[in-house]
């Protein structure tokens, strides 16, 4: 049975849209606000954004029973389906959508292709938690996808931007990003909350007790996820608030292929998972892992390669701005599918 939602959870969609509007207002009405926020940066890492993302992921990761993660390898069908749809179908689908909708805007097109090259390793933990998915399976998939991103993102970028684009009659684009740079990004946004969660879980259960950990500590830190999510949304929207207001049609052009991508990927993975016997909790983990994208890495790559004021960077920022409300709706869709197919 679906648990009763608290006040913050129950009106989450409203808070999301208010945070978006507030962020846009800051970016548009307060001169140089984005410059001020970007002044708190180290390289391509925006520190306020990084803090928000790290805090957002810490509570869900703390709830994961890491001893159960290896059990995911006992379900090879689910693992294979997830990896195939996430790594083969997903990037190719985003590539096709980008060309179809944005061929006349090559910078935006390139930005979306980069977004599609890596699955989500951060926000998926939050969406899975909201939709009551399998935490351990999600943690296992996040771990595998993180490693695959470090190893193969550069090769994927080369393949799609330098080989695939010319095959479709579009000039190829060289892109240089090292494995070390990808590993650094993954380490910041996933490594820090992961190790903080493991240390918290081990030390508190060992020295204070599992009962206190489950009944006091976890309920205390749980609201941090949604508060940090709202903070992150405000920061992201404020960074590009002025541009969003000035060129709303460009935002709309970028949003259309993204919305189609999210809808297709979630629905495809869910019904493939249902067909091969996934439980609801497992299916939610699979579906959100396949649907979301690693926008942190995409933004870092776009800024590092093309510059902070490039169309690629703008598309990278618009990505999560579309993803947040879209995946909130998919959380609600997941519960509807649960009632329909998992009675």
């Amino acid at each position: 049975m679906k648990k009763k939602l608290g006040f913050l959870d129950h009106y989450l969609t409203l808070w999301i849209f208010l945070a978006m509007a507030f962020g846009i207002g800051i970016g548009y009405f307060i001169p140089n606000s984005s410059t001020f926020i970007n002044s708190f940066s180290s390289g391509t890492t925006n520190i306020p954004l990084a803090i928000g993302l790290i805090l957002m992921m810490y509570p869900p990761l703390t709830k994961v029973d890491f001893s159960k993660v290896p059990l995911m390898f006992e379900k090879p069908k689910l693992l294979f389906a997830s990896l195939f749809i996430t790594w083969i179908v997903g990037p190719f689908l985003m590539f096709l959508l980008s060309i179809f909708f944005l061929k006349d805007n090559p910078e935006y097109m390139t930005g979306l292709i980069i977004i599609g090259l890596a699955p989500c390793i951060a926000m998926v933990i939050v969406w899975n938690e909201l939709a009551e998915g399998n935490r351990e399976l999600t943690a296992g998939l996040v771990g595998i996808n993180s490693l695959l991103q470090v190893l193969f993102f550069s090769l994927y970028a080369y393949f799609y931007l330098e080989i695939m684009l010319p095959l479709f009659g579009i000039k190829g684009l060289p892109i240089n990003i090292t494995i070390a740079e990808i590993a650094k990004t993954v380490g910041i946004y996933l490594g820090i909350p992961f190790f903080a969660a493991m240390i918290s879980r081990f030390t508190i259960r060992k020295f204070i007790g599992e009962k206190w950990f489950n009944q006091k500590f976890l309920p205390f830190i749980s609201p941090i996820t949604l508060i940090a999510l709202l903070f992150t949304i405000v920061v992201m929207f404020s960074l590009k608030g002025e541009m969003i207001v000035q060129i709303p049609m460009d935002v709309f052009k970028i949003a259309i292929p993204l919305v189609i991508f999210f809808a297709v990927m979630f629905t495809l993975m869910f019904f493939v998972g249902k067909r091969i016997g996934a439980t609801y909790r497992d299916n939610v983990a699979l579906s959100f892992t396949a649907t979301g994208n690693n926008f942190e890495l995409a933004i870092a790559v776009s800024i590092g390669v093309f510059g902070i004021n490039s169309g690629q960077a703008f598309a990278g920022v618009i990505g999560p701005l579309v993803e947040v409300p879209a995946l909130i709706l998919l959380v609600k869709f997941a519960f509807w599918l649960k009632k329909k197919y998992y009675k």
Side-chain angles (χ1 to χ4, degrees), residues 220-288:
F220 174 74
I221 65 170
S222 289
I224 294 175
T225 295
L226 300 184
I227 294 170
L229 172 62
L230 297 175
F231 169 78
T232 303
I233 290 169
V234 170
V235 172
M236 287 192 300
F237 271 76
S238 64
L239 288 172
K240 295 294 180 180
E242 189 174 1
M243 289 187 69
I244 290 170
V245 174
Q246 290 177 348
I247 48 176
M249 288 308 298
D250 286 34
V251 175
F252 187 68
K253 289 177 184 177
I254 296 169
I256 292 174
L258 281 170
V259 169
I260 295 173
F261 176 84
F262 297 143
V264 171
M265 289 296 290
F266 185 90
T267 305
L268 174 64
M269 186 70 255
F270 190 92
F271 284 103
V272 168
K274 183 72 172 62
R275 181 68 182 267
I276 60 180
T279 64
Y280 170 76
R281 294 184 70 247
D282 287 350
N283 216 348
V284 164
L286 296 172
S287 299
F288 280 110

Side-chain angles (χ1 to χ4, degrees), residues 202-214:
F202 175 78
T203 55
I204 293 174
R205 293 172 74 197
K206 181 177 178 63
F207 295 107
I208 301 180
E210 187 163 349
K211 183 178 180 180
W212 191 88
F213 175 79
N214 290 324

Side-chain angles (χ1 to χ4, degrees), residues 45-310:
T45 301
N46 182 282
I47 294 173
L49 190 58
I51 291 172
L53 288 164
I54 290 167
L55 288 175
M56 185 171 63
M57 289 183 287
Y58 171 69
L61 283 170
T62 306
K63 297 174 185 178
V64 173
D65 185 350
F66 294 101
S67 65
K68 294 181 181 179
V69 170
L71 296 177
M72 64 178 288
F73 292 101
E74 296 178 2
K75 303 174 181 178
K77 282 186 179 180
L78 300 187
L79 183 58
F80 174 79
S82 175
L83 293 177
F84 181 80
I85 291 177
T86 300
W87 283 96
I88 305 300
V89 176
F92 187 63
L93 175 61
M94 186 71 89
F95 178 80
L96 293 178
L97 290 170
S98 301
I99 290 177
F100 183 81
F101 286 98
L102 296 168
K103 189 174 181 178
D104 295 332
N105 295 274
E107 289 192 358
Y108 295 161
M109 178 190 70
T110 308
L112 277 197
I113 291 173
I114 292 172
I115 290 175
L117 296 181
C120 188
I121 60 168
M123 295 285 284
V124 64
I125 297 169
V126 177
W127 308 132
N128 178 75
E129 188 75 6
L130 293 175
E132 301 175 7
N134 186 326
R135 293 169 184 156
E136 289 69 39
L137 178 57
T138 300
L141 291 173
V142 163
I144 292 173
N145 288 333
S146 300
L147 179 61
L148 292 176
Q149 283 179 40
V150 172
L151 295 176
F152 297 115
F153 184 89
S154 298
L155 292 175
Y156 256 46
Y158 173 81
F159 175 73
Y160 276 102
L161 296 179
E162 296 195 44
I163 296 178
M164 288 294 286
L165 280 179
L167 293 179
F168 284 77
I170 302 170
K171 184 179 178 181
L173 294 168
I175 180 169
N176 298 307
I177 177 108
T178 66
I179 289 177
E181 289 172 306
I182 300 168
K184 177 185 174 183
T185 302
V186 172
I188 291 172
Y189 294 114
L190 183 65
I192 293 174
F194 177 80
F195 285 109
M198 288 191 68
I199 292 170
S200 299
R201 187 177 179 88
F202 175 78
T203 55
I204 293 174
R205 293 172 74 197
K206 181 177 178 63
F207 295 107
I208 301 180
E210 187 163 349
K211 183 178 180 180
W212 191 88
F213 175 79
N214 290 324
Q215 296 182 4
K216 299 292 184 180
F217 183 71
L218 290 183
F220 174 74
I221 65 170
S222 289
I224 294 175
T225 295
L226 300 184
I227 294 170
L229 172 62
L230 297 175
F231 169 78
T232 303
I233 290 169
V234 170
V235 172
M236 287 192 300
F237 271 76
S238 64
L239 288 172
K240 295 294 180 180
E242 189 174 1
M243 289 187 69
I244 290 170
V245 174
Q246 290 177 348
I247 48 176
M249 288 308 298
D250 286 34
V251 175
F252 187 68
K253 289 177 184 177
I254 296 169
I256 292 174
L258 281 170
V259 169
I260 295 173
F261 176 84
F262 297 143
V264 171
M265 289 296 290
F266 185 90
T267 305
L268 174 64
M269 186 70 255
F270 190 92
F271 284 103
V272 168
K274 183 72 172 62
R275 181 68 182 267
I276 60 180
T279 64
Y280 170 76
R281 294 184 70 247
D282 287 350
N283 216 348
V284 164
L286 296 172
S287 299
F288 280 110
T289 301
T291 304
N293 292 102
N294 186 353
F295 57 81
E296 304 94 343
L297 179 57
I299 293 171
V301 169
S302 294
I303 291 174
V305 176
F306 302 103
I308 193 168
N309 294 314
S310 65

